[in-house]
């Protein structure tokens, strides 16, 4: 029995949820073509399409005959597919709602939701890709904008691994110097002092810290910055959302019947992915439907990395505004105040706003004024947005980050051992552990390397 | 029809350091054992340096002793100088090293073999193995007789097709003027065993009376002598010094001018020599900027004037050696007794062996020592002991004794050889051990003596002593953990005396001992209840307390490591049928047939991704078999 892994059919949104103007739902497994045939209506029969072609059509709920979305569907027969199984990919319109409805439909038809990374896991179990590739591909999938895909590509090409090789090499060199004196005490090699070790380790700790800190930025590049847009009704939230997204995104989606829900748009500001969340008005309300929206909105605000508080230059700072402000007071540090409609500004009322809120950004969506300033301010919120990805190595892989943090901990413990007056054999143990952690990322075996280094650099023999 | 002898349980081929341990272990475990040597007067010979121990090697000797082996005891009886190395560098790397009276060592070991119950020591050259249906049946001697055996252990050292090279002269020979074993090498090949060609070398021996020691630095032994064996209580003996000298510009010039005459550089030598043991000409070529190299003079024994020239091994022709040696300070008038030589020999590929040191493809055939690609007396003895134990366990129908990398240097040694193979004679080093803070020489008994007892190599009496020692250690640690001293004048004075920071409130002696500047023995000054413990116990208490945090951390790592070691791979696994394994990994795994996932993960060419695939496969397999049972 050759095939040991489960072969049931799985499906998931293959582009991260809400990540793009278009969502891709991937189905993989022996039942993939059958279920696709049941829900897809296009020209001709899906079963008869040739492999590796893309067709246009509609997804229809077979039970209710309701049209769910207009889609492009690709059919890829095993084994030349991502997972080496039969694969169907449905490109539907963005936002998670459509994608979710299609997914629900598939699940109803007996398809199992894929676990996180299960496609890649199948690909790698079926011998398509190795672990490092799998990790890089996982990152590629997550990277939607040019900048983040550049980071992923750079890692594949080994710029991160170059830096790590250098760090590993200096660790191996100190280790060799310590070890040669431990293993060949009868020879009078210049003994490496604990102070020398401390100096080198401090340097490496600095480098590791930079790499680890870069992970947060890497996360923004990968997952996008969550920006919530709040404000009273008619302050111009939706027009701002449309303005920001309309300028940048490929497909504008409007989902009817969800105005009370949170609207999500993925936009791209100078290469940085931004997830815009439009919330329902934050007024106190007795309307049940609206109430749900308000609660949802507060939840979104809590999760957001940045809040755009939209004020109206025409109406000025009203009670409604101060009510909302009261609700979001706890989040003050992550609020950007945007005063819209400067084209219709009432000078007195604008002044009033300025007194209440010292730092505002004045814009006019209608006249396309101030949008660039707003975008720049948003980018500043992308923590350390000044980091130029062209010159800076960024960690985007959580496994890499974890190993780097562990390596850092080992080196810190080497330092405290040195401070506590511990002996070289113990200090070297921590250094070796650190080198090993980094070796796990770059795929190097440390012990043999240290021994090689000893024999290359030190003259020993009978 | 040749003469057929009575059958043996275990036959050991070769009576060097591996063979002696193998034969003694097997006989002591009750197996009917025979050991063969080509020359009864060369048992347990040290054809190279006359010392035992050193970093990592000293650890091996301690471990051999803790399991019930002989090397440590024999060394204790015959050592003429003892030193503990690395005393300032930490407990993990403290290492015992002793100069040995080479002749006495041989005699003591020979006599030990002779006196051993169940053991037949016999002079004969084994020229052929009898193997039928991939199972060993016995050995044939050069006079044509046949010794049937249930298991055979090969411990042939550097004798297989030995060839000695001195300059442009080369001839078939074993080490130290002994005969080579050519027929056995052919026999192994006939039985389909792959052989490799390794090289090693040894420096010249000089007559002590021709040396001017006034130009050298004397290196005396330590006082008191620390024994290798946990059973040796005390050694009181006059010690002999070693001497240190340095090579000169002149020496280096002579080497450079004659480099074309070195067989290493003219291509006469094809065997692979060890990186850690370069010949002197290698040192000159590879470390051209070094103005001088260290050379040590080591005594070969009490009843001989022969001394060993450590650090000066070479395969240069006689006349060049002559000039090289005379260029050394103090050796201007040196009388050379034996010239340095390089030796090439056949060894097998250790990856053909299981971790028990039994051949994967030949049932009942084991091998140990230099034939497995290792180097060094201690490495050989360690393997010999394990092969002897496992041959007997096999006969008993029990699981083999496999020490893992977290239990012993012996485990590291065998795992490295068997799992990774080697392309040069393998030397043990402390840097090869992942868990060296746990694998200390002081606790080798705590690690291994219970195992030695269980398999029958440790006597009841010794085991009781061992248990008592462990209890004494535990009790004293407990006592220090409980006892508090107040910030009294006496205690403050004590702290000031040792430059230790003062205390404001009471402190446990345990915590005080954790301070690097406070030693266990100094605590006596403030602790009137301190028991009078033997030094070994006091040292152990001190190490366990001072390094407690580090030891605990290491034990955690060991626990992690064990998880993978304990995931066994079924012997009937068919790697070809596992989807997702890369072809290279399939081939390597199929060839090496690792015992556990842990071992599999150490095979070069097997990636973490392959291991993930293997884990998934094994899980699915066990799920499936459970389903089938249910």
């Amino acid at each position: 029995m050759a095939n040991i892994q489960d072969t049931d059919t799985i499906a998931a949104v293959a582009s991260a949820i809400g990540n793009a103007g278009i969502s891709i739902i991937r189905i993989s497994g022996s039942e993939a073509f059958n279920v696709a045939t049941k829900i897809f209506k296009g020209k001709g029969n899906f079963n008869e399409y040739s492999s590796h072609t893309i067709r246009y059509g509609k997804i229809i709920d077979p039970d209710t005959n309701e049209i769910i979305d207009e889609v492009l569907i690709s059919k890829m027969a095993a084994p030349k597919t991502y997972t080496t199984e039969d694969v169907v990919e449905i490109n539907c319109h963005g936002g998670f709602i459509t994608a979710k409805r299609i997914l629900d439909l598939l699940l109803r038809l007996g398809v199992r939701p894929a676990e996180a990374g299960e496609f890649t896991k199948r690909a790698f179990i079926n011998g398509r890709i190795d672990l490092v590739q799998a990790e890089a591909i996982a990152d590629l999938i997550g990277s939607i904008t040019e900048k983040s895909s550049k980071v992923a590509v750079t890692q594949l090409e080994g710029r991160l691994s170059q830096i790590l090789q250098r760090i590993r090499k200096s660790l191996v060199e100190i280790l060799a110097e310590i070890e040669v004196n431990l293993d060949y005490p009868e020879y009078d090699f210049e003994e490496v002092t604990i102070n020398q070790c401390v100096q080198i380790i401090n340097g490496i700790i600095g480098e590791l810290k930079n790499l680890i800190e870069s992970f947060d930025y890497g996360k923004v590049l990968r997952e996008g910055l969550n920006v919530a847009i709040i404000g009273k009704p008619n302050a111009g939230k939706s027009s701002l959302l449309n303005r920001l997204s309309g300028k940048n995104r490929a497909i504008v989606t409007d989902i009817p019947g969800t105005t009370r829900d949170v609207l999500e748009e993925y936009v791209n500001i100078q290469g940085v992915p931004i997830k815009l969340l439009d919330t329902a008005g934050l007024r106190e309300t007795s309307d049940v439907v609206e109430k749900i929206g308000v609660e949802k909105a507060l939840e979104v605000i809590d999760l957001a990395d940045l809040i755009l508080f939209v004020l109206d230059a025409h109406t000025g700072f009203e009670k409604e505004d101060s009510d909302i402000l009261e609700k979001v007071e706890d989040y003050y540090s992550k609020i950007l105040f945007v005063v819209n409609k400067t084209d219709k500004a009432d000078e007195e009322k604008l002044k009033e706003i300025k007194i209440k809120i010292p730092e505002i950004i004045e814009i006019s969506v209608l006249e396309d004024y101030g949008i660039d300033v707003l975008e720049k301010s948003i980018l500043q919120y992308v923590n350390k947005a000044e980091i130029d990805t062209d010159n800076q190595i960024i960690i985007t892989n959580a496994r890499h980050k974890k190993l780097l943090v562990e390596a850092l901990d080992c080196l810190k413990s080497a330092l405290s051992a040195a401070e506590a007056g511990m002996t070289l054999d113990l200090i070297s143990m921590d250094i070796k552990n650190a080198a090993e952690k980094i070796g796990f990322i770059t795929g190097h075996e440390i012990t043999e390397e240290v021994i090689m280094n000893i024999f290359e650099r030190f003259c020993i023999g009978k | 029809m040749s003469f057929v002898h009575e059958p043996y349980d275990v036959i050991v081929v070769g009576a060097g350091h591996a063979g002696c341990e193998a034969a003694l272990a097997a006989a002591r475990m009750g197996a009917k054992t025979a050991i063969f040597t080509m020359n009864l007067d060369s048992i347990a010979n040290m054809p190279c340096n006359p010392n035992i121990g050193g970093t990592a090697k000293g650890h091996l000797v301690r471990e051999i002793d803790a399991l019930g082996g002989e090397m440590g005891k024999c060394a204790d009886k015959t050592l003429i100088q003892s030193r503990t190395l690395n005393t300032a560098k930490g407990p993990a790397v403290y290492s015992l090293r002793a100069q040995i009276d080479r002749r006495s060592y041989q005699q003591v070991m020979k006599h030990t073999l002779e006196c051993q119950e169940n053991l037949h020591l016999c002079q004969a050259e084994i020229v052929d193995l009898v193997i039928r249906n991939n199972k060993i049946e016995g050995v044939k001697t050069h006079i044509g007789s046949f010794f049937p055996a249930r298991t055979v252990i090969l411990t042939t050292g550097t004798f297989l097709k030995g060839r000695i090279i001195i300059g442009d002269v080369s001839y078939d020979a074993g080490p130290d003027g002994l005969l080579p074993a050519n027929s056995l090498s052919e026999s192994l090949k006939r039985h389909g065993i792959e052989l490799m060609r390794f090289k090693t070398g040894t420096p010249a021996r000089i007559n002590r009376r021709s040396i001017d020691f006034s130009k050298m630095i004397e290196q005396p032994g330590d006082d008191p002598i620390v024994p290798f064996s946990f059973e040796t209580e005390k050694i009181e003996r006059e010690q002999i010094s070693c001497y240190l000298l340095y090579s000169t510009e002149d020496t280096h010039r002579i080497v450079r001018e004659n480099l074309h005459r070195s067989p290493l550089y003219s291509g006469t030598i094809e065997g692979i020599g060890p990186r850690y043991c370069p010949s002197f000409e290698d040192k000159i070529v590879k470390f051209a900027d070094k103005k001088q190299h260290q050379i040590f003079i080591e005594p070969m024994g009490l009843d001989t004037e022969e001394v060993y020239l450590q650090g000066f091994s070479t395969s240069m022709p006689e006349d060049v050696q002559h000039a090289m040696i005379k260029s050394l300070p103090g050796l201007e008038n040196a009388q050379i007794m034996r010239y340095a030589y390089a030796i090439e020999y056949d060894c097998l590929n250790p990856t053909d062996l299981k971790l028990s040191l039994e051949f994967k493809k030949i049932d009942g055939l084991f091998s140990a020592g230099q034939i497995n690609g290792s180097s060094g007396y201690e490495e050989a003895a360690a393997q010999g002991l394990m092969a002897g134990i496992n041959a007997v366990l096999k006969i008993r129908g029990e699981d083999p004794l496999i020490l893992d990398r977290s239990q012993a240097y012996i485990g590291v040694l065998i795992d490295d050889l068997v799992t990774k193979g080697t392309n040069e004679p393998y030397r043990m080093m402390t840097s090869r051990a992942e868990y060296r803070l746990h694998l200390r020489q002081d606790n080798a008994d705590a690690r291994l003596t219970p195992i030695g007892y269980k398999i029958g190599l440790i006597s009841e009496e010794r085991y009781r002593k061992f248990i008592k020692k462990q209890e004494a250690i535990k009790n004293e640690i407990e006592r220090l953990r409980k006892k508090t001293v107040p910030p009294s004048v006496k205690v403050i004075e004590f702290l000031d005396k040792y430059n230790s920071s003062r205390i404001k409130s009471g402190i446990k002696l345990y915590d005080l001992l954790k301070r690097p500047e406070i030693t266990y023995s100094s605590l006596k000054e403030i602790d009137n209840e301190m028991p009078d413990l033997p030094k070994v116990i006091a040292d152990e208490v001190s190490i366990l307390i001072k390094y407690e945090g580090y030891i605990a951390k290491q034990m955690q790592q060991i626990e992690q490591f064990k998880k993978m070691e304990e995931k066994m791979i079924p012997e009937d696994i068919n790697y070809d049928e596992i989807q997702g394994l890369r072809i290279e990994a399939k081939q390597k795994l199929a060839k090496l047939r690792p015992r556990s996932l842990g071992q599999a993960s150490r095979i070069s060419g097997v990636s973490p991704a392959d291991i993930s695939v293997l884990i998934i496969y094994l899980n699915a397999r066990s799920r499936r078999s459970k389903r089938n049972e249910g």
Side-chain angles (χ1 to χ4, degrees), chain B residues 545-562:
Chain B
I545 293 177
K546 280 195 182 299
Y547 303 99
E548 186 211 11
Y550 278 87
I551 293 173
K553 201 159 88 183
Q554 188 124 91
M555 295 319 280
Q556 270 175 6
Q557 291 171 348
I558 288 175
E559 218 169 278
Q560 283 300 316
F561 158 83
K562 290 263 191 195

Side-chain angles (χ1 to χ4, degrees), chain B residues 30-291:
Chain B
K32 192 176 169 201
T33 307
I35 178 168
F36 293 95
T37 170
M38 285 158 71
N39 187 340
L40 276 177
D41 296 321
S42 63
I43 289 170
N45 187 23
M46 298 184 195
C48 200
N49 48 343
N51 68 52
I52 283 180
T55 51
K57 290 164 172 273
H59 292 70
L60 285 173
V61 180
R62 276 282 169 105
E63 291 178 353
I64 291 166
D65 185 73
L67 280 169
E70 198 60 29
M71 182 173 246
K73 288 192 182 78
C74 197
D76 284 345
K77 286 178 192 148
T78 58
L79 61 84
I80 51 178
Q81 190 208 67
S82 161
R83 289 176 69 190
T84 302
L85 307 173
N86 279 341
T87 45
K89 292 170 195 158
V93 292
Y94 295 165
S95 304
L96 276 176
R97 181 178 190 269
Q99 298 303 136
I100 306 289
D101 184 309
R102 171 170 160 270
R103 272 288 164 231
S104 307
Y105 188 91
Q106 287 184 273
Q107 272 160 9
V108 170
M109 191 59 92
K110 182 176 178 233
H111 197 225
T112 308
L113 296 175
E114 287 164 352
C115 295
Q116 179 60 50
E117 282 300 307
N118 300 326
L119 183 58
H120 176 196
L121 173 62
C122 180
Q123 177 166 303
E125 182 187 348
I126 302 304
V127 292
D128 201 3
L129 300 178
V130 179
I131 297 167
R132 198 174 300 159
N133 298 329
N134 299 321
K135 190 175 185 319
I136 192 81
E137 297 200 330
V139 298
K140 279 186 185 162
T141 70
H142 64 304
I143 2 179
S145 58
F146 173 59
F147 283 85
R150 298 170 74 182
T151 59
V152 169
I153 304 172
L154 297 173
T155 53
T156 57
T158 59
F159 283 80
L160 290 182
K161 278 235 163 128
R163 178 169 159 260
I164 281 185
I165 304 123
I166 303 173
D168 38 20
V169 181
S170 75
Y171 52 93
D172 290 350
D176 244 357
L178 297 159
L179 292 171
N182 291 335
S183 312
L184 187 56
S185 201
E186 290 306 320
S187 165
L188 294 178
K189 262 189 234 167
R190 268 201 311 279
H191 289 299
I193 294 168
E194 177 201 337
L195 295 175
M196 309 191 290
R197 197 91 178 133
F198 274 9
K199 177 224 126 183
T200 185
T202 193
R205 313 294 196 275
I206 312 288
N207 188 317
R208 168 194 292 275
R209 294 174 60 239
S210 66
I211 299 173
D212 178 0
F213 288 104
S214 69
K215 295 181 178 171
M216 304 174 186
I217 304 155
E218 186 175 357
Q219 296 189 313
D222 290 347
D223 190 37
I225 295 174
V226 180
F228 280 109
S229 173
F230 289 98
E231 287 201 287
T232 309
E233 292 201 346
K234 209 174 201 179
I235 301 173
E236 275 176 22
R237 200 170 299 160
E238 207 177 312
Q239 299 188 58
I240 306 227
S241 291
C242 294
Y243 292 86
L244 166 65
L245 63 143
Y246 291 91
S247 60
T248 63
E249 285 282 334
D250 214 25
T251 326
H252 296 206
R253 179 189 54 77
I254 294 165
V255 171
R256 276 194 300 271
E257 284 172 3
N258 289 285
L259 214 49
H260 60 285
R261 299 184 61 197
S262 161
L264 288 174
Y265 291 89
S266 65
T268 316
I269 290 183
E270 48 184 271
I272 305 160
R275 285 171 297 180
Y276 50 82
C277 263
S279 62
F280 197 76
E281 49 265 38
D282 266 342
K283 296 184 188 181
I284 301 298
V285 173
K286 286 190 188 140
F287 300 93
D289 53 331
K290 270 200 98 172
K291 293 275 175 286

Side-chain angles (χ1 to χ4, degrees), chain A residues 361-364 367-375:
Chain A
I361 297 163
E362 295 175 47
I363 62 163
S364 162
E367 292 185 346
D368 205 15
Y369 166 78
I371 303 296
D372 48 342
V373 179
L374 175 60
E375 286 189 349

